[in-house]
Amino acid sequence: NQSQSITFDHEFVNIDQHFDNNTGVFFCMIPGIYHFSFTVHTYNGYESYVHLMKNEEIQVMNFSQSGSRSIMQTQFALLQLKKGDRVWLRLADRKSNAIFSDSENMYITFNGYLATPEDYELSNIIPQKTEAEKAAVLNK
């Protein structure tokens, strides 16, 4: 047994091809805050340990214990990324790990989008309140 990257057969949206289905890796080209989520279907009678990885570091984990019924779970995270960072899913090195998907049903999905670019200035869109205006709101 050894840890392995989870790859995908289908993509819904992949603007500018920053995600590679063959390797299962998203390559950050625009620095900022990204929202990632993934859903995993655990095969009946097995458990699953799936890590959301940033480069080689675990960010969050999705764990499912073995049972008589299959289980679908979703996990998400906001990640601060720099240009060149890689985000991917890793099936952990465990004896009884088993996730399931097929060509007709998308039981395993991986999603990500840029929530806020690094150079984003909120003050350009939302007018900032003066200290007096903030105090008036707090004192209501």
Side-chain angles (χ1 to χ4, degrees), residues 102-113:
D102 61 36
S103 59
E104 294 179 20
N105 301 293
M106 307 302 160
Y107 291 116
I108 302 171
T109 59
F110 181 43
N111 305 286
Y113 63 87

Side-chain angles (χ1 to χ4, degrees), residues 11-49:
E11 63 186 41
F12 294 98
V13 177
N14 191 3
I15 298 170
D16 295 329
Q17 304 302 301
H18 294 182
F19 180 75
D20 183 343
N21 271 354
N22 297 320
T23 62
V25 176
F26 169 79
F27 295 92
C28 178
M29 300 304 288
I30 302 169
I33 298 171
Y34 284 77
H35 176 273
F36 289 97
S37 65
F38 62 97
T39 299
V40 176
H41 179 239
T42 303
Y43 200 72
N44 299 3
Y46 291 86
E47 60 189 15
S48 66
Y49 289 82

Side-chain angles (χ1 to χ4, degrees), residues 32-71:
I33 298 171
Y34 284 77
H35 176 273
F36 289 97
S37 65
F38 62 97
T39 299
V40 176
H41 179 239
T42 303
Y43 200 72
N44 299 3
Y46 291 86
E47 60 189 15
S48 66
Y49 289 82
V50 177
H51 300 135
L52 177 67
M53 305 294 292
K54 175 181 168 185
N55 302 316
E56 299 302 318
E57 296 178 14
I58 297 171
Q59 302 301 300
V60 295
M61 181 181 77
N62 189 322
F63 166 70
S64 175
Q65 283 187 310
S66 64
S68 60
R69 297 183 353 195
S70 64
I71 299 170

